[in-house]
Amino acid sequence: MFRRPLAAFAACWIAGGASAATFGRAGVLLAGLSLAAALAALALVRGIGPRTAAACALAYALAAVHRVWTDERNVTELAELAEAAEAGEPPAAVEAVLTIDSVPRIDGDRVMFRARLESAAFGGGEPRELRGERVQVRIRLKEEAELETASRWRRGDRAAVSGVLERPGEAVNFGGFDYRAYLYRHRIHWLLEAKSADSLEPLGRGGGAGLTVLRAMDRLRESLAGRMESLFSGRQSGYMNGLVLGVREQLDPELYAGFAELGLTHILAISGLHVGVFLLGVGFLLRLVRLPRETTLELTAAAVPFYVLLTGASPSVVRAGLMAMLGLAAARMNRLKDGMNLLAAAALAMLLYDPYYLSDIAFQLSFAVTAGLIALVPPVRRALPPLKRGRAVADLLVVTVVAQAVSFPLTVFYFNRFHLLSLPANAILVPFISFVILPLGTVALLISFLWPDAGRLLARAAEAANDATFRLVEKLAERLELATIWSSPPLWWILAWYGALLLIASRLPDRSSEREKTSEGGQETETLDLHAAPGRPHAEPRFNPAGRRRMRARIILPAAAAVLLLAYAYQPDRFDRSAIVSFLDVGQGDAVLIRTPTGRHILVDGGGTLRFEKPGDEWRRRLDPYDVGKDVVVPLLMKRGVRRLDLVVASHLDTDHIGGLSAVLKAIPAKALLWNGTLSGKEDGEALLRLADARGLRLIAAHSGLAPYRLDDGTELTVLWPAAEPLTSDGRMPVMRDQNGRSVVLQLALEGFTFLLPGDIGVAEERVIIARRQETGADIDVMKIAHHGSRHSTAAEWLDYWRPREAVISAGRNNVYGHPHPDTLGRIAAVGAQVRRTDLNGETQYRIAGGALSVRTAAGGQLENHS
């Protein structure tokens, strides 16, 4: 790297920006001093020149200052509203004048776009002029006819909007998605919510020349996307729009999930491959008119920004576009340098423009994989013997393996999943899609404007190729047993992994000097002595076993380090003997994750999203509707390294408890399902049982008197309710539409501490449970309050009987049911229990370690210890 000063400078710039984004000022200073010391040591041993060392140290300092300077200016102009929101005051009603500065996206009954506020009036007061406060606008459409109105909104439109202004939500579960932090990196501090298309009144065209250009590109992209939809049918059109134009709004979610499972989504992100195809096309057209080489390079470079803007200017395409323009400019001046310098220049340009690019997943993956290919492919390829046949296949495999190795740490950090078939899937499908489907789709789109029949013919060929691709993706992705789950590794692990890869690559043997000698008896390969004396540099090729052994020994240590890193990342809590009970925040529902001291896992309920769709409301359905299981529970479980659930409990079959469990069972293997032994008469409950049976789970009908369920020596689960329910006269399970009273009530004994999980039972069931128990009373440590704190549950006698020290209420923010009820809160206070609420505190997590119980909450909670 230090032979490329620009690459070293860029690496240190990235380190400075990352330190400022991750650590406090003391951490930034400490990391900077450590880097300076390392650079000074390298300079002393002449590993790098003094000027390069000084430049790298300066890069670190400048990048850190640049990030801090950017953060200090990334503040809202509405500071007083922010303070009011933090104090718990309701959202402020606002009359705003704004300019739309992103493409409005319509999905079902919701329209979303970003905008800059010109002025805002609060509570009927006088308008307040603003300098361009950015907001995320969400408009809920009331009627289907409003879709036509919303479809006319464009980037660059000025409008008056009536709605409420509120702060974006923060992460409410440990490791969960932080929407506020995400919008902060886009310099957005507010959500503007409106209830209908009538809330927006157009005021004509706004914005400057930049928005005018972007608006024109939006129209062109929309026209091309419409043409693509006319060429391809069904889910093919959404896929081809994503592949060719980067328009992914209509991409089939199930198809995308299959690509994501196999690590193939990068093929749908416009990047270097697409830019390369575009440049080849432009160069071919310019050569047809016989322009000079210099003119061809200049015009090709000038066309790159057009393509970048046309495809949406994502970080990956901006990176590829910048590298292409720099490379073409260098070629024009006959000073073409290597790819690492071009990549470094592109990174510096993007981070100087916006240091928040560094936190973008697409930016990280794009630059990491490109840098890895540039740095690692040549030494790996040189380590292979020369091939007369199959060289192209070998090169493809090297590129695929290197790309997978480089992207692996970022993949498991962000997505916590790595499919063991990802490598063959990428080796087979990426070339096929890149060199067959992408050119076919691009040519079909372009030629359709001049020769529609030819365009349709090429589209049919592309559809046939797509069908084969989709079938293979679905076949490979459904192998759930080969989809490994990884908890998010720490930063030091990611850096150590990349260090091990570089060390391995640097110690690989160089076999490029091997030659083949043909004799009459056949073909013979001689290996040159890589350790020949200086006076005899390979004059007499000879086999050197000692040299080969030394070479292998040099690789063993970094290879062993890589294996150890993999073992640690796959099971980082291998030696952790603590137990954890996590009451997850799933809104108006329940979900409890239990980790035993031996690392086994139980999930009690999985939350659920209640939907009240009426006939004729089909237009409201979103392409990828929110599912609490898929969008909240599954990511949290995977981020925590839950690779298998030893027991899944459905306390009862109401949607707010089991709606997310289907997504869990589809994503994470499970051994058994415990439920109340009845049917609810609703589709979601019966679908869950069918899915569990199809996945091979053991189905256990819970009832009081069932033998305690023991997962290990320190964990025992006892069913206190319901009573056994006999089968119907024809041998079928009984159907009980009112499921609350049949909730499974569990008593969990965990390392000497006791938790009570009562589902949604009411006062009547509480009395029966108390009457049936032999003990006169029982002290427990933690009680989940039944039915989200409803006034019809958690009676005073129930609380007096159990005398809990801690009470957890799982309820949604601003729920329409008024949970938890003040009467219930009063009864809990009367027994002296400490109340934790997911609607106020987010996830509540209890940890048992060393004979002590500690608790922490995700939203503003402090760690508390209990003996």
Side-chain angles (χ1 to χ4, degrees):
M1 178 188 295
F2 291 108
R3 295 173 186 172
R4 300 177 172 95
L6 184 59
F9 186 89
C12 292
W13 186 282
I14 290 172
S19 296
T22 307
F23 310 125
R25 297 195 176 186
V28 173
L29 180 60
L30 181 61
L33 291 174
S34 301
L35 177 63
L39 291 170
L42 284 171
L44 287 174
V45 299
R46 297 184 178 181
I48 60 173
R51 292 183 179 179
T52 301
C56 289
L58 180 63
Y60 176 92
L62 289 176
V65 170
H66 185 217
R67 176 60 186 251
V68 172
W69 181 86
T70 303
D71 284 339
E72 288 178 349
R73 282 154 182 77
N74 185 10
V75 295
T76 177
E77 298 178 56
L78 306 171
E80 69 283 1
L81 284 184
E83 292 176 1
E86 297 302 325
E89 295 186 16
V94 63
E95 299 281 341
V97 176
L98 52 78
T99 300
I100 301 174
D101 71 353
S102 73
V103 179
R105 306 294 186 194
I106 302 175
D107 186 12
D109 64 348
R110 187 174 66 180
V111 185
M112 297 184 65
F113 55 83
R114 293 173 182 173
R116 293 188 180 275
L117 296 182
E118 299 177 17
S119 65
F122 299 98
E126 291 295 319
R128 171 179 171 180
E129 297 298 322
L130 300 171
R131 297 189 302 272
E133 176 90 29
R134 296 194 78 203
V135 294
Q136 177 75 46
V137 182
R138 297 193 299 208
I139 299 178
R140 182 68 59 85
L141 305 180
K142 293 173 62 176
E143 299 177 355
E144 187 174 4
E146 293 182 337
L147 289 171
E148 176 64 26
T149 302
S151 67
R152 294 194 293 268
W153 299 340
R154 295 286 185 274
R155 178 167 19 200
D157 286 349
R158 293 181 68 246
V161 179
S162 303
V164 295
L165 210 59
E166 60 184 32
R167 295 281 277 166
E170 297 180 282
V172 294
N173 292 289
F174 294 108
F177 178 63
D178 193 329
Y179 192 41
R180 182 177 297 185
Y182 169 78
L183 290 180
Y184 172 86
R185 294 193 294 270
H186 292 83
R187 296 173 174 81
I188 295 174
H189 305 276
W190 295 97
L191 298 175
L192 201 168
E193 301 268 3
K195 293 184 177 179
S196 72
D198 294 337
S199 302
L200 186 146
E201 179 186 352
L203 299 177
R205 188 77 58 85
L211 278 181
T212 300
V213 171
L214 292 174
R215 183 185 180 103
M217 299 305 296
D218 294 341
R219 286 191 174 277
L220 177 58
R221 183 167 57 251
E222 185 178 326
S223 174
L224 293 174
R227 176 61 65 120
M228 192 73 83
E229 290 175 5
S230 70
L231 289 172
F232 295 88
S233 58
R235 63 177 180 171
Q236 296 258 3
S237 63
Y239 172 73
M240 293 305 293
N241 267 324
L243 180 65
V244 177
L245 299 173
V247 179
R248 295 163 60 174
E249 283 70 26
Q250 297 303 316
L251 186 60
D252 179 29
E254 292 186 4
L255 178 63
Y256 183 81
F259 273 73
E261 188 71 61
L262 297 171
L264 290 167
T265 54
H266 61 89
I267 201 68
L268 297 171
I270 305 296
S271 59
L273 170 68
H274 301 77
V275 173
V277 171
F278 173 76
L279 294 180
L280 284 174
V282 172
F284 174 76
L285 293 176
L286 293 176
R287 283 194 296 272
L288 289 179
V289 296
R290 300 182 180 277
L291 292 175
R293 173 180 177 274
E294 293 77 8
T295 306
T296 299
L297 291 173
E298 291 169 357
L299 292 176
T300 304
V304 171
F306 167 81
Y307 183 73
V308 170
L309 292 175
L310 177 65
T311 53
S314 67
S316 57
V317 73
V318 170
R319 187 269 308 162
L322 283 173
M323 289 185 67
M325 293 176 67
L326 292 169
L328 291 167
R332 172 66 179 82
M333 296 182 290
N334 295 316
R335 294 183 178 180
L336 185 61
K337 301 296 181 182
D338 62 41
M340 192 65 80
N341 278 327
L342 297 179
L343 184 68
L348 285 171
M350 293 181 68
L351 293 175
L352 279 169
Y353 173 74
D354 186 355
Y356 295 133
Y357 267 135
L358 194 57
S359 301
D360 188 276
I361 300 173
F363 177 94
Q364 295 174 12
L365 281 170
S366 178
F367 276 91
V369 172
T370 306
L373 293 175
I374 294 171
L376 302 179
V377 167
V380 173
R381 188 65 188 89
R382 288 194 297 267
L384 300 177
L387 300 173
K388 281 191 172 181
R389 296 180 180 178
R391 177 166 183 159
V393 174
D395 288 343
L396 171 63
L397 289 176
V398 168
V399 169
T400 303
V401 170
V402 169
Q404 291 281 299
V406 173
S407 63
F408 173 75
L410 294 177
T411 298
V412 298
F413 180 83
Y414 287 111
F415 308 112
N416 306 106
R417 205 171 182 93
F418 182 79
H419 205 291
L420 297 181
L421 295 178
S422 178
L423 182 61
N426 274 269
I428 296 169
L429 292 176
V430 169
F432 181 67
I433 294 171
S434 303
F435 301 117
V436 177
I437 297 176
L438 177 60
L440 266 178
T442 303
V443 173
L445 175 64
L446 297 177
I447 204 173
S448 68
F449 289 96
L450 303 174
W451 190 1
D453 290 340
R456 283 190 287 270
L457 183 62
L458 290 174
R460 298 294 81 75
E463 284 188 339
N466 284 339
D467 286 335
T469 300
F470 298 164
R471 285 195 297 271
L472 182 59
V473 168
E474 291 166 358
K475 191 72 175 176
L476 296 178
E478 68 184 12
R479 299 297 300 273
L480 186 64
E481 69 277 9
L482 297 178
T484 60
I485 296 173
W486 304 68
S487 60
S488 293
L491 178 60
W492 69 262
W493 184 93
I494 296 175
L495 297 177
W497 175 261
Y498 285 133
L501 290 183
L502 290 171
L503 199 57
I504 291 171
S506 69
R507 297 188 172 193
L508 289 173
D510 186 349
R511 295 181 179 175
S512 59
S513 58
E514 290 186 358
R515 65 189 181 194
E516 296 178 351
K517 185 174 77 175
T518 305
S519 62
E520 290 184 3
Q523 195 174 43
E524 178 183 322
T525 300
E526 292 187 347
T527 304
L528 300 185
D529 182 1
L530 299 179
H531 301 276
R536 300 174 55 194
H538 313 303
E540 296 292 333
R542 61 190 178 85
F543 180 71
N544 186 354
R548 286 287 183 87
R549 285 195 295 271
R550 285 195 298 270
M551 190 66 69
R552 283 195 291 266
R554 282 162 51 87
I555 299 174
I556 288 176
L557 185 59
V563 172
L564 290 175
L565 286 171
L566 282 175
Y568 171 82
Y570 188 66
Q571 200 169 359
D573 57 353
R574 183 187 306 271
F575 304 108
D576 183 2
R577 291 296 175 259
S578 61
I580 303 172
V581 179
S582 301
F583 294 85
L584 305 178
D585 185 348
V586 290
Q588 185 65 17
D590 275 10
V592 185
L593 176 64
I594 302 163
R595 181 195 186 274
T596 76
T598 57
R600 297 190 176 188
H601 292 93
I602 304 169
L603 180 66
V604 181
D605 293 332
T609 306
L610 298 174
R611 293 185 174 87
F612 304 98
E613 187 176 290
K614 301 176 182 177
D617 281 354
E618 292 76 13
W619 67 275
R620 295 184 182 275
R621 293 176 188 165
R622 296 170 188 167
L623 183 65
D624 188 14
Y626 174 79
D627 182 290
V628 71
K630 174 177 64 70
D631 297 318
V632 177
V633 180
V634 169
L636 287 175
L637 267 57
M638 293 172 64
K639 188 169 286 292
R640 299 173 191 194
V642 179
R643 292 186 295 278
R644 185 181 72 170
L645 289 166
D646 295 272
L647 178 66
V648 176
V649 179
S651 66
H652 59 296
L653 299 182
D654 280 357
T655 300
D656 60 330
H657 287 250
I658 57 97
L661 287 181
S662 292
V664 171
L665 296 185
K666 291 176 182 177
I668 299 176
K671 291 179 64 177
L673 174 69
L674 179 75
W675 97 112
N676 65 11
T678 70
L679 298 177
S680 64
K682 299 177 183 177
E683 174 57 26
D684 55 355
E686 295 186 13
L688 174 66
L689 295 174
R690 288 195 299 268
L691 176 62
D693 183 57
R695 294 282 179 180
L697 275 70
R698 177 188 171 203
L699 297 177
I700 306 171
H703 59 85
S704 57
L706 191 69
Y709 198 92
R710 293 185 177 89
L711 273 75
D712 51 42
D713 291 339
T715 308
E716 183 175 282
L717 205 60
T718 304
V719 177
L720 304 183
W721 184 261
E725 186 73 25
L727 299 178
T728 60
S729 57
D730 56 358
R732 297 186 179 185
M733 287 182 288
V735 176
M736 305 191 70
R737 297 189 178 277
D738 184 0
Q739 286 275 309
N740 288 338
R742 288 285 302 182
S743 292
V744 177
V745 178
L746 298 173
Q747 183 174 339
L748 170 67
L750 194 61
E751 291 291 283
F753 293 88
T754 308
F755 296 76
L756 187 68
L757 310 175
D760 280 359
I761 62 170
V763 172
E765 291 78 28
E766 293 172 356
R767 289 171 178 163
V768 174
I769 292 171
I770 294 173
R772 287 186 174 187
R773 290 179 60 83
Q774 300 295 324
E775 299 90 344
T776 57
D779 291 338
I780 62 172
D781 298 285
V782 181
M783 173 191 287
K784 188 194 81 68
I785 299 303
H787 204 176
H788 322 291
S790 165
R791 68 183 300 183
H792 303 296
S793 299
T794 318
E797 58 186 303
W798 176 257
L799 290 166
D800 288 338
Y801 178 83
W802 294 106
R803 296 188 296 277
R805 289 194 295 165
E806 295 267 331
V808 180
I809 303 175
S810 182
R813 290 160 184 78
N814 304 314
N815 64 83
V816 298
Y817 308 100
H819 295 158
H821 197 276
D823 291 351
T824 305
L825 294 174
R827 291 195 292 268
I828 298 171
V831 297
Q834 174 66 54
V835 176
R836 322 278 179 179
R837 295 170 49 175
T838 60
D839 60 330
L840 299 181
N841 308 119
E843 176 185 352
T844 299
Q845 188 177 97
Y846 294 90
R847 178 182 292 269
I848 303 170
L853 178 71
S854 61
V855 57
R856 62 173 184 161
T857 56
Q862 299 294 321
L863 180 66
E864 298 179 22
N865 293 300
H866 303 277
S867 60

